[in-house]
Amino acid sequence: MANTDLLQTYLQLHLANDAAAVYNLPSVLSSLSSQTLESSLHLTKWSNRVNALVHSKDPGARWAGIILALHTSMLSRSVLLSSGMGWVSTVLPMLSKSESPIVWKSSIRLIAYIFSTTTGLVEFQRQVVAPNVPKFSSALMSLAERQTDEELKILCLEVLSIIVSLYPTLHRPLASALSTFSLNFLNGSPTSTPFAIIESASKLHACLQATGGKVGGAALWRKSADETIAFCSAAVNALRTTYAAESQHSRSNTDPLVSVPLNLDRLRCGVELLCSLLRATVSRPVSVPIKSLVNLCVELTKVTEKGMLPADVDPTIRAIEASATSCIRELGCRLTGCLSRCVQRKLAPHLTRILTVITYQLEQENTSNQRLPFIKLIPTLFGSCFPPSDPFIAGRLVKVILPSIAGILSGKVSGEDPAASVDVGGKKGKKRARGYEGDEIFKVGRDVLCESALEGDMVLAALDALPYLLRVPNIPAYLQSLSSRLLLSLLVALPKLPALAISQSPSLKEEILRRVKRTCLEFAIGSSAVLCKSLPLVVDAITDDKGAYIFTSQETSCNTQIIDLMLHPRVPPVLRPLPSLDTVALTRAEESTDERMARENLGLCSMSDGMDVGTGMGDPDGSTSTSETQQHMQTLPDIPNKAVPPAVFPAAPVESAVPLAQPALFSPEPMPTATKAVAASTMVMESPIKQKQVAQPSGSSFSNRIQNQTAQATPPSSQVQDVQSRPSRPSDTVQMVVDDEEDDDIEIPTLNMESDTESETE
């Protein structure tokens, strides 16, 4: 059917009467286009039919007519200019009448579209927009106050914020009424105001500064900011009445079950309003009260549940106020991040104070839900401001976020051991439990490294924050070395683990691996020489699984800089020398005392620890017992919030920052997927397994091969030197040793050739 006949078909069949118009509205809207309207000879009849539906007495027909008018205005500019005045004069009075909510919503959208798309038409503005904009705003305020529909209120608030920003001069007489109207939604409620309403009301109140003009707008903005800061401070004081000093303690006659939720909701509204004010567009520079905002941020983030309880305070009130502590800290982190993005480097004088509070809160024994906002705040602060002059704070932050990353290297047993014994009673005693093929499909409670979405968010947030902390100048060298070793371990181990062994979300593994590659690649950009040695890591980091180059808004610039540095190593000239050995040190001999203590506090162990115990390197006579070894392993603290064995850690020398994989001397027995170890040329890794001992095959390690040669080439032990072999590992570990010709730490036993000669002579 030709386009010229399509409107005629709609008019004759689909829109023949009011009931047909309501029923056929979806099909008409789906096939209506701008070409259909512009090339049709029945455009005038179409406009008349839409006007007839708008003036209909049937609410359904009026709704269909308003929807058709809105879509016709979007598709045809000529119809908008010719019929816009009539539609506004007809639809605007409906906002003051008793109509159904869907008619009100469609009317608001139609009028808002007409007013917002005709700003460049001077004559249309003079005849249609200017006389009706104040009426439209007054009708929206009245409608939002009278109705209880949440979606309708949100629509009225959002449309008002758009119209006020477009026509600030026309709203100058309504500025006081609009301010009171918006603040009524931000006064808080004991039943918690919906966040969508808080956000919409905050946007409306933040744009009211435009009604003051270019000169008075800055003063209105500063006045709103000061009043909101005072409002938030009053709400915080009302939430911490039992934590105040005895001289400042004041009793309140209100019920704490009402006052605490009310003031907490007021604080939420005030923080959102401050964030909207900081994000608002202003015509001229404004004076931001940075010191007052920083004081409020510190006051919100430093609150704790602990504190001295006055004698005249009811413990029940203290418990109710303590329950709001986590929400107060979360709001403080939100306000601090918004302030940092707004003022950026002007926050540098106050950065140390804020970081001290964040470090203190992260060092406390809080839950993951309470720690997550502080960890997410670290990239915002360090990314928009100069690093702190004192590296001690950054070092403390590195120590508190490393356990969240180290938890990925911990091993877990997936499900129960199928070989476990069960007691069936009787004379036969216990029988061996039998495992059947395919049983893993029906195991719904399988253990994973990140059991909840919150743990996955903690790992991602820690990986995002770690690069910013390591960029701080003069950070302790042992923390840089420890962080790089941990990330290199993840870089080697993660690709070999299935996604479902890490989390129930299949995408979490890719997100973690992408962040690990990006951070390791940043370590490799010490100079062009080091970066060229890291070519496999570079290619893997900037390409996807199919080999295609990754173009993302966040990483395109970083990837381009890496490629430019590799293609043009002298443009710009490389000013930094090669990284020193202590920055890429992975050997046991180069591990300092501070680094070893920090690693043990994280619950991480390396193969060097087991070698020292097994070969007697830590004892002059080499008589360290197995019980002492087990006691040493038990004294290592577990990963926070995880009752798992110590994690794996690399302890082999490297020549570059990128490990290259080599084949292992042997493969261990099959292990659960979540605890498989990964071998690399620079790694010696072990995976702890609960209550399960795996014997090493004969000749599997370097020392065992020497022992076999000794046993074959020597006569009885009385005629040869005593060759001490390495004791077996503890019963809860299985080790994988990688051939490394550069390992000089193990002493190779020698044979007494004179004794062999005498034996042969005899």
Side-chain angles (χ1 to χ4, degrees):
M1 182 179 296
N3 291 336
T4 55
D5 299 330
L6 192 57
L7 286 184
Q8 184 179 4
T9 303
Y10 289 158
L11 293 172
Q12 292 179 354
L13 300 178
H14 295 76
L15 305 178
N17 51 58
D18 294 350
V22 176
Y23 182 79
N24 298 318
L25 181 63
S27 59
V28 172
L29 295 177
S30 61
S31 57
L32 197 62
S33 63
S34 58
Q35 293 81 5
T36 303
L37 294 174
E38 296 296 339
S39 60
S40 177
L41 299 176
H42 303 278
L43 186 59
T44 304
K45 296 181 180 179
W46 174 267
S47 301
N48 295 334
R49 181 54 182 159
V50 171
N51 291 331
L53 291 174
V54 171
H55 290 83
S56 177
K57 295 182 179 181
D58 184 20
R62 287 198 299 271
W63 169 75
I66 295 172
I67 296 297
L68 288 173
L70 176 59
H71 282 73
T72 303
S73 302
M74 294 179 179
L75 299 175
S76 178
R77 185 77 169 179
S78 59
V79 177
L80 171 62
L81 297 178
S82 60
S83 304
M85 181 182 294
W87 290 340
V88 170
S89 60
T90 304
V91 173
L92 185 57
M94 294 183 184
L95 300 178
S96 302
K97 298 179 182 179
S98 177
E99 293 284 352
S100 61
I102 58 173
V103 175
W104 282 329
K105 294 176 184 178
S106 58
S107 302
I108 293 172
R109 293 188 179 98
L110 174 60
I111 299 176
Y113 179 80
I114 294 174
F115 288 170
S116 60
T117 56
T118 57
T119 54
L121 303 176
V122 180
E123 189 64 24
F124 191 86
Q125 289 278 311
R126 185 181 64 83
Q127 296 181 2
V128 180
V129 178
N132 293 306
V133 162
K135 299 178 183 178
F136 181 52
S137 299
S138 300
L140 290 179
M141 288 191 291
S142 177
L143 188 62
E145 290 176 349
R146 289 187 288 107
Q147 301 300 320
T148 58
D149 189 1
E150 181 178 342
E151 295 182 359
L152 182 60
K153 290 183 178 181
I154 295 172
L155 179 61
C156 293
L157 292 170
E158 292 183 350
V159 170
L160 275 173
S161 61
I162 296 174
I163 299 300
V164 170
S165 301
L166 291 175
Y167 306 100
T169 305
L170 297 177
H171 288 88
R172 187 171 297 177
L174 300 175
S176 178
L178 287 171
S179 178
T180 305
F181 168 75
S182 59
L183 291 178
N184 288 335
F185 292 97
L186 300 175
N187 196 29
S189 173
T191 57
S192 183
T193 307
F195 180 75
I197 294 181
I198 296 176
E199 185 179 11
S200 301
S202 300
K203 291 180 181 179
L204 174 59
H205 191 79
C207 70
L208 292 180
Q209 50 84 21
T211 58
K214 294 183 178 180
V215 178
L220 290 177
W221 188 93
R222 180 58 186 267
K223 180 182 177 182
S224 299
D226 292 338
E227 292 177 351
T228 308
I229 293 174
F231 180 76
C232 292
S233 299
V236 174
N237 294 332
L239 288 171
R240 309 288 293 179
T241 57
T242 60
Y243 291 89
E246 294 183 0
S247 58
Q248 301 177 355
H249 177 65
S250 59
R251 296 186 179 183
S252 177
N253 296 327
T254 59
D255 187 2
L257 296 177
V258 177
S259 61
V260 172
L262 175 61
N263 288 283
L264 184 60
D265 193 55
R266 287 179 175 176
L267 180 61
R268 188 183 296 110
C269 295
V271 169
E272 184 62 29
L273 180 55
L274 285 175
C275 293
S276 299
L277 288 171
L278 293 173
R279 293 191 300 261
T281 303
V282 293
S283 57
R284 291 187 178 182
V286 296
S287 176
V288 181
I290 298 179
K291 184 177 180 180
S292 300
L293 288 171
V294 169
N295 292 336
L296 179 61
C297 293
V298 172
E299 185 180 1
L300 293 176
T301 53
K302 74 177 183 180
V303 297
T304 59
E305 297 180 1
K306 302 177 182 179
M308 183 180 63
L309 182 65
D312 58 340
V313 173
D314 188 359
T316 305
I317 302 178
R318 165 61 68 88
I320 296 175
E321 292 184 354
S323 63
T325 302
S326 59
C327 296
I328 297 175
R329 289 198 292 246
E330 185 177 357
L331 292 174
C333 293
R334 174 176 173 80
L335 180 59
T336 306
C338 187
L339 177 63
S340 176
R341 287 187 292 267
C342 177
V343 300
Q344 296 187 357
R345 297 180 178 180
K346 294 181 178 62
L347 193 64
H350 310 277
L351 183 61
T352 303
R353 181 185 177 192
I354 297 175
L355 291 178
T356 303
V357 177
I358 295 175
T359 306
Y360 171 78
Q361 293 290 359
L362 289 176
E363 290 176 346
Q364 304 305 309
E365 296 181 357
N366 296 324
T367 61
S368 299
N369 193 19
Q370 296 173 348
R371 294 163 55 88
L372 183 59
F374 292 99
I375 298 179
K376 286 184 176 181
L377 183 59
I378 294 175
T380 304
L381 292 175
F382 283 84
S384 58
C385 190
F386 291 112
S389 57
D390 186 9
F392 180 70
I393 298 178
R396 292 171 60 188
L397 288 173
V398 171
K399 291 181 181 179
V400 296
I401 69 172
L402 281 181
S404 301
I405 304 176
I408 309 177
L409 289 177
S410 61
K412 283 188 176 183
V413 179
S414 179
E416 297 180 354
D417 188 1
S421 299
V422 294
D423 189 1
V424 297
K427 297 182 179 180
K428 294 184 179 181
K430 296 183 178 180
K431 287 187 178 180
R432 180 183 178 89
R434 300 183 180 274
Y436 298 93
E437 183 179 359
D439 282 352
E440 66 276 2
I441 300 177
F442 303 99
K443 293 180 180 179
V444 296
R446 190 173 66 174
D447 293 336
V448 292
L449 295 179
C450 299
E451 298 179 352
S452 62
L454 180 61
E455 295 182 6
D457 294 340
M458 283 285 295
V459 174
L460 296 178
L463 289 174
D464 289 335
L466 185 60
Y468 291 92
L469 296 173
L470 296 179
R471 294 171 192 165
V472 177
N474 301 324
I475 195 172
Y478 74 93
L479 290 178
Q480 291 183 348
S481 176
L482 185 64
S483 303
S484 61
R485 294 169 62 188
L486 179 59
L487 290 171
L488 288 174
S489 300
L490 291 174
L491 183 63
V492 176
L494 280 178
K496 301 300 181 181
L497 292 177
L500 295 179
I502 298 177
S503 174
Q504 297 179 356
S505 176
S507 62
L508 181 61
K509 176 189 173 182
E510 297 299 329
E511 293 292 331
I512 295 176
L513 189 59
R514 182 172 60 86
R515 286 167 170 80
V516 171
K517 290 179 180 178
R518 183 176 58 193
T519 308
C520 291
L521 189 59
E522 185 176 347
F523 290 157
I525 311 179
S527 65
S528 59
V530 177
L531 189 60
C532 292
K533 294 180 181 180
S534 307
L535 181 60
L537 176 61
V538 174
V539 174
D540 192 21
I542 66 178
T543 57
D544 56 9
D545 297 337
K546 299 180 181 179
Y549 183 74
I550 300 177
F551 287 97
T552 59
S553 58
Q554 299 179 353
E555 299 180 357
T556 299
S557 59
C558 180
N559 296 344
T560 305
Q561 293 175 1
I562 293 171
I563 296 176
D564 290 343
L565 181 60
M566 298 185 68
L567 294 178
H568 310 284
R570 298 187 181 276
V571 183
V574 179
L575 302 179
R576 290 184 294 175
L578 288 172
S580 57
L581 291 178
D582 56 353
T583 60
V584 293
L586 299 180
T587 61
R588 174 185 57 83
E590 295 177 351
E591 187 179 33
S592 62
T593 304
D594 294 337
E595 184 176 355
R596 184 185 183 93
M597 294 176 60
R599 175 175 57 80
E600 292 177 353
N601 291 334
L602 291 176
L604 299 172
C605 63
S606 63
M607 281 293 296
S608 60
D609 298 335
M611 292 178 182
D612 292 346
V613 176
T615 59
M617 297 176 63
D619 195 351
D621 58 357
S623 60
T624 305
S625 62
T626 306
S627 61
E628 295 177 356
T629 303
Q630 295 177 354
Q631 182 180 3
H632 169 70
M633 297 297 293
Q634 292 174 0
T635 56
L636 292 179
D638 294 337
I639 303 299
N641 300 327
K642 285 188 179 290
V644 295
V648 184
F649 210 68
V654 293
E655 296 182 356
S656 63
V658 182
L660 301 177
Q662 291 182 356
L665 295 180
F666 75 98
S667 299
E669 294 184 6
M671 295 179 295
T673 305
T675 58
K676 287 186 178 179
V678 183
S681 64
T682 62
M683 304 288 176
V684 180
M685 308 181 67
E686 63 179 6
S687 298
I689 301 179
K690 298 179 180 179
Q691 304 299 330
K692 185 176 182 181
Q693 179 179 4
V694 181
Q696 297 181 358
S698 177
S700 59
S701 64
F702 183 75
S703 60
N704 287 335
R705 286 186 294 172
I706 297 298
Q707 295 172 15
N708 293 338
Q709 295 175 6
T710 305
Q712 295 176 3
T714 57
S717 59
S718 61
Q719 300 178 5
V720 297
Q721 292 181 351
D722 184 15
V723 181
Q724 296 181 356
S725 61
R726 182 184 306 171
S728 60
R729 301 284 297 172
S731 60
D732 60 342
T733 60
V734 56
Q735 65 178 359
M736 177 183 295
V737 182
V738 180
D739 192 4
D740 192 354
E741 298 178 359
E742 299 179 2
D743 192 356
D744 298 331
D745 296 333
I746 303 176
E747 181 180 359
I748 303 176
T750 58
L751 303 178
N752 191 342
M753 301 306 297
E754 296 179 359
S755 179
D756 293 342
T757 305
E758 295 175 0
S759 176
E760 293 175 359
T761 303
E762 293 177 359

